[in-house]
Amino acid sequence: MNLEHLNALKKLLSSTKKIAIIPHKNPDGDAIGSTLALWHYLVNKGHTASIISPNDFPKFLKWMPGSETILNFERENSQAKSCIADTDLIFTLDFNHLGRVGQMTETLEKANATFVMVDHHQEPSSYAEIMFSDVTMSSTCEMVYNLISELGDSHSITKEMANCIYTGIMTDTGSFKFAATTSNTHRVIAELMDLGAEGTEIHHRIYDTNSPSRLHLLGCALKNMVILNDYHTAYITLSQAELDTHNYQKGDTEGFVNYGLTLEGIRFAVIFIENKEEGILKISFRSVGAFSVNDFARKHFNGGGHTNAAGGKSDDTIAETIAYFTSLLPQYKYQLQS
Ligand code: 5GP
Ligand code: MN
């Protein structure tokens, strides 16, 4: 952890501050878990803090302690805007360029506050005066745990905070199995359990919330899967019509992309999901091994992320996007083989 930036933050937090905490658009378990843990910490220290999410987040995260206080920039727009305009510090968590907050970008760019980044994605941009960026970290939640410890406050981690941090580490590591899961990750998890984190219950609340229509949507996605053995690649498409037929709710497609990687020999899995309202396809990329989906998403689909998990988008139709995607694969044939 960068000591200079740590000391600068310590100094800033030594007097009471007004603080806004921002996760990325379409926040996941790590984004919501890390913002909530930090929010509890700062409020307990006597600061005035609010979490402002660019948009809504899935129902399976709404049990998390404090989640009912999160402002939705789309829904509570004027309240959110005035909060950002009147704040001393802005923490941005689990993302590293301002485009990741969608419609909120302009408001953040205009804000007259000190920015603090806490993030584990590749190739951070330089909007934050205080930067904690570490691509070796499993999750932003693990970084928030480390940050609170480095600030000398690990004794102040409550059971609520432990549950939030546990959730983000669990979801970002695919329940402690992805490559970024280190022995330190497990040490942090052990500490969190000692602090009261309820691992089994959290797992149940996040993963055992299927509706029949979500399982049917999964069936549809798996039926749509195309396997390109020559390129060790599998991709799924879901049209807006298919989502509508299955009563799509936010978060329903979470994890679908991973099924491609469970096929023997498949190293690159992709899902293309149509969003008619935004006029885009949202794309998720996953890989195993050295093939960098961060590079792929950045280069071809206006996105980014990590080596083995990234996202991006397309403004074209599903058919056009698939034609473009498959036209790219030959140049990666060698990489996908090794
Ligand atoms: P997911 O596919 O689950 O939406 O995202 C996978 C990873 O890529 C996450 O770490 C997420 O933050 C990141 N990611 C998703 N979409 C985008 C995007 O459009 N741009 C960038 N830079 N990162 C993304
Ligand atoms: Mn994350």
Side-chain angles (χ1 to χ4, degrees), residues 30 94 120-121 140 172:
D30 189 30
D94 201 35
H120 66 135
H121 293 90
T140 303
D172 255 33

Side-chain angles (χ1 to χ4, degrees), residues 115-162:
F115 279 78
V116 184
M117 177 199 297
V118 186
D119 181 65
H120 66 135
H121 293 90
Q122 292 179 346
E123 301 173 58
S125 49
S126 55
Y127 60 84
E129 290 92 324
I130 299 182
M131 238 171 110
F132 303 103
S133 165
D134 187 346
V135 300
T136 70
M137 281 287 145
S138 70
S139 54
T140 303
C141 273
E142 187 175 338
M143 294 181 74
V144 166
Y145 177 89
N146 291 340
L147 182 62
I148 294 172
S149 301
E150 294 289 335
L151 288 167
D153 284 333
S154 53
H155 61 274
S156 74
I157 299 178
T158 62
K159 179 177 171 176
E160 285 75 24
M161 290 160 68

